[in-house]
């Protein structure tokens, strides 16, 4: 298995597709998607454009849909929810489809949607992602961070490092064999330094600070937990993720 980490969607190669691609947006899109599916959402459908989201969701009866929109960390007017995973309670999402658009995470998913297998990862479901990858053993694996409007973000890279570290340990192979690019080494190093202090790291991260200014302290605390959900969002058709049953 060759593992490649890309810090933003813009950095992914355009001329090739991996066997498996994983989108990461810890703060907060992929955390929200995993939480919604865990809470009983029928599916999560992602859009980079709010107009397209409104159009597509119109075809669903109001009681079967939820519109989640976020730009710059804040909820988009006309949507039911913003991008807080804490809003995805079973009472709210059970049996409904979550139509979601966010500043960065939905773009990351769209950039990899042509891969044969597409997953969404966050710290909260890291172990479920690792378990799937170890079972399937794809030859090439991409971990794609969402970043923030094209630039590097600490929280996505530390999550990629957490996944890479676990794969490296459990595959019992050398880093040289596993790492397809330098970013893998960097991400594992970041994870090794901060693995017991994710919340503190988020306080240093530019997007963490942005969310703190918006009073999203509880979101940060929730997103900083590792391996609390055994749920794996997997793409069923381009842009539509459903829950894969890992156990």
């Amino acid at each position: 298995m060759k593992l490649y980490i890309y810090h933003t969607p813009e950095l992914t190669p355009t001329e090739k597709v991996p066997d498996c691609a994983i989108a990461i947006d810890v703060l907060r899109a992929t955390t929200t998607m995993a939480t919604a599916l865990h809470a009983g959402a029928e599916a999560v459908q992602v859009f980079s454009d709010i107009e397209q989201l409104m159009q597509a969701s119109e075809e669903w009866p109001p009681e079967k849909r939820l519109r989640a929109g976020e730009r710059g960390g804040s909820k988009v007017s006309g949507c039911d929810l913003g991008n807080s995973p804490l809003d995805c309670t079973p009472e709210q999402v059970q049996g409904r489809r979550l139509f979601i658009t966010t500043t960065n995470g939905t773009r990351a998913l769209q950039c990899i949607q042509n891969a044969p297998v597409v997953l969404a990862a966050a710290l909260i479901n890291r172990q479920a992602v690792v378990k799937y990858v170890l079972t399937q053993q794809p030859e090439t694996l991409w971990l794609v961070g969402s970043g923030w409007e094209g630039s590097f973000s600490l929280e996505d890279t530390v999550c990629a490092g957490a996944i890479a570290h676990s794969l490296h340990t459990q595959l019992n192979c050398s880093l040289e064999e596993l790492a397809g690019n330098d970013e893998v080494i960097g991400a594992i190093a970041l994870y090794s330094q901060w693995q017991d202090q994710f919340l503190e790291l988020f306080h240093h991260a530019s997007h963490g600070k942005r969310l703190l200014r918006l009073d999203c302290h509880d979101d940060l605390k929730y997103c900083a937990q590792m391996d609390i959900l055994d749920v794996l969002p997997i793409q069923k058709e381009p842009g539509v993720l459903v829950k894969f049953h890992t156990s």
Side-chain angles (χ1 to χ4, degrees), residues 5-14 111 142 144-145 150-152 181 183:
I5 291 175
Y6 299 102
H7 296 312
T8 66
E10 292 79 5
L11 292 169
T12 56
T14 48
C111 122
W142 289 5
V144 182
S151 59
F152 172 91
N181 60 2
E183 286 87 335

Side-chain angles (χ1 to χ4, degrees), residues 41 45 53 57 60-68 79-81 87-89 91-94 96-100:
Q45 192 162 346
L53 181 151
S57 59
W60 288 69
E63 70 279 5
K64 286 286 179 193
R65 69 172 186 232
L66 272 175
R67 293 164 169 160
C79 287
D80 307 299
L81 307 171
D87 290 338
C88 296
T89 58
E91 299 75 40
Q92 183 82 277
V93 304
Q94 185 86 44
R96 299 169 109 180
R97 177 168 292 211
L98 186 69
F99 293 85
I100 187 169

Side-chain angles (χ1 to χ4, degrees), residues 74-130:
S74 301
K75 181 179 149 184
V76 174
S77 68
C79 287
D80 307 299
L81 307 171
N83 185 22
S84 172
L86 300 179
D87 290 338
C88 296
T89 58
E91 299 75 40
Q92 183 82 277
V93 304
Q94 185 86 44
R96 299 169 109 180
R97 177 168 292 211
L98 186 69
F99 293 85
I100 187 169
T101 179
T102 71
T103 310
N104 306 291
T106 47
R107 277 175 41 252
L109 274 160
Q110 289 195 317
C111 122
I112 57 173
Q113 68 182 18
N114 293 329
V117 179
V118 175
L119 310 172
L123 288 169
I124 59 167
N125 70 332
R126 184 220 32 178
Q127 199 50 57
V129 170
V130 168

Side-chain angles (χ1 to χ4, degrees), residues 9-22:
E10 292 79 5
L11 292 169
T12 56
T14 48
E15 72 288 351
K16 53 186 169 189
V17 172
D19 297 308
C20 177
I22 302 175

Side-chain angles (χ1 to χ4, degrees), residues 63-235:
E63 70 279 5
K64 286 286 179 193
R65 69 172 186 232
L66 272 175
R67 293 164 169 160
E70 171 268 319
R71 288 292 180 271
S74 301
K75 181 179 149 184
V76 174
S77 68
C79 287
D80 307 299
L81 307 171
N83 185 22
S84 172
L86 300 179
D87 290 338
C88 296
T89 58
E91 299 75 40
Q92 183 82 277
V93 304
Q94 185 86 44
R96 299 169 109 180
R97 177 168 292 211
L98 186 69
F99 293 85
I100 187 169
T101 179
T102 71
T103 310
N104 306 291
T106 47
R107 277 175 41 252
L109 274 160
Q110 289 195 317
C111 122
I112 57 173
Q113 68 182 18
N114 293 329
V117 179
V118 175
L119 310 172
L123 288 169
I124 59 167
N125 70 332
R126 184 220 32 178
Q127 199 50 57
V129 170
V130 168
K131 196 162 35 167
Y132 178 89
V133 171
L134 290 171
T135 309
Q136 301 297 319
Q137 296 275 343
E139 269 184 50
T140 50
L141 173 66
W142 289 5
L143 302 182
V144 182
S146 300
W148 177 266
E149 296 183 341
S151 59
F152 172 91
S153 68
L154 284 168
E155 66 277 3
D156 294 342
T157 300
V158 84
C159 180
I163 294 168
H165 178 270
S166 190
L167 289 172
H168 173 229
T169 309
Q170 296 189 57
L171 285 167
N172 211 9
C173 63
S174 71
L175 258 184
E176 202 174 330
E177 289 170 84
L178 182 66
N181 60 2
D182 289 1
E183 286 87 335
V184 175
I185 313 296
I188 290 174
L190 185 70
Y191 167 72
S192 299
Q193 183 174 344
W194 291 93
Q195 56 187 316
D196 303 317
Q197 302 164 290
F198 292 137
L199 188 57
E200 194 182 328
L201 180 66
F202 292 178
H203 280 252
H204 289 293
S206 55
H207 191 39
K209 289 175 182 172
R210 192 177 290 110
L211 291 172
L212 287 169
R213 287 195 294 272
L214 294 166
D215 284 333
C216 297
H217 301 77
D218 290 341
D219 276 14
L220 255 64
K221 277 187 201 162
Y222 178 78
C223 295
Q225 299 174 96
M226 192 156 73
D227 302 339
I228 58 164
L229 298 186
D230 186 22
V231 65
L232 184 63
I234 189 165
Q235 184 173 264

